[in-house]
Amino acid sequence: MKTIAARALSLSVAAWFAALVAGLWAFGIYIVGLYGVGAATGNWSRWNAVLPDGHGYNPGDTAGNLALGVHLLLAVFVTFAGAMQLVPALRARAPGFHRWNGRVFVAVAFTIAASGLYIAFTRGAVAGPYMAAGNTLNAILLIICAVLALRFALGRRFDLHRRWALRTFVLMLGVFFYRLGMMLWFAANGGPVGHTDAFDGPFDIVLAFAHVLAPLAILELYLLARDRGGAVSQFAMAGGMVVMTLATAVGGLFAAIGMWLPRL
Ligand code: HEM
């Protein structure tokens, strides 16, 4: 039977997951509304509304446009269907769906990371060298974790599979956490403190790596508290997850209102 501390921890994680899914759907609606509508109506200028010149739709650069198109299409899958992998009820009641969605998820991890790197290295870094380094780290770790999650699933080591799948999931959402982190920081400071146009301010440098490494560190703490922690550490982790839930909900709301909705 679950202790009260373990129950508090799983409730806090469920609350965070709900805030996460709401934010992901808002991000997905933005991607479909801006880029999807642009492609469907042939209004390619919509691809250049956020991405600077040479980074969005680039006449003549068929390979680059195609890579960006594939990247964005997969981003729609990640935002709407990615989180379904972690819903315990779906995993238990529809294992066939879980297996297929999981295979697609791993394929998407490879392709979205590869297309992102291709765009970054052929078109140049849009957000400076630190963010390019952080993104590259994100892509490499994402591919490694996806390979391990797949390997352990095929080897029927489901305990290890789950751990690596969670790491893959968190890394897949690095770019989403980046947007939330930026909006939260700007809102908390009343402006872009520590940020420069070249993305080389102190805040930019920290966030370039923190958006990849901080969620991973929080995940490891959660796994430790869940599997080996006593009541005190489980309650402490539950408290931490309540803070993460608020940060995710508020960051998602600020991003939706300040960044995504105005561009539709
Ligand atoms: C770790 C793998 C990833 C890398 C390396 C990466 C990299 C990139 C790059 C380089 C661009 C174009 C900007 C430019 O031209 O410099 C871009 C755009 C974009 N990416 Fe990714 N990306 C990754 C994963 C994702 C994921 C998982 C999502 C969705 C959940 C996503 C959503 C987007 C969106 C929506 C844009 C268009 C810019 C915007 O409107 O905000 N990316 N990405």
Side-chain angles (χ1 to χ4, degrees), residues 27 30-31 35 50-51 55 71-72 75 78-79 112-113 116-117 119-120 124 126 135 138-139 172 175 179:
F27 189 31
Y30 154 78
I31 299 170
Y35 298 99
V50 172
L51 293 170
H55 290 267
H71 190 78
L72 294 167
V78 172
T79 48
I112 208 161
L117 288 181
I119 302 164
V126 79
N135 264 343
N138 191 0
M172 183 75 111
V175 301
R179 286 158 171 88

Side-chain angles (χ1 to χ4, degrees), residues 135-210:
N135 264 343
T136 305
L137 176 70
N138 191 0
I140 293 170
L141 292 178
L142 176 60
I143 290 174
I144 293 173
C145 291
V147 169
L148 290 171
L150 182 67
R151 222 181 97 188
F152 288 124
L154 294 175
R156 307 194 69 75
R157 294 288 315 273
F158 294 116
D159 49 337
L160 288 172
H161 162 67
R162 268 189 217 118
R163 284 174 170 264
W164 287 103
L166 285 175
R167 291 173 186 132
T168 309
F169 180 72
V170 159
L171 286 163
M172 183 75 111
L173 300 187
V175 301
F176 175 75
F177 295 137
Y178 181 88
R179 286 158 171 88
L180 297 200
M182 185 169 233
M183 292 312 279
L184 270 179
W185 177 260
F186 287 2
N189 289 286
V193 173
H195 165 72
T196 67
D197 286 345
F199 286 78
D200 59 0
F203 168 71
D204 301 315
I205 298 174
V206 170
L207 191 63
F209 298 98

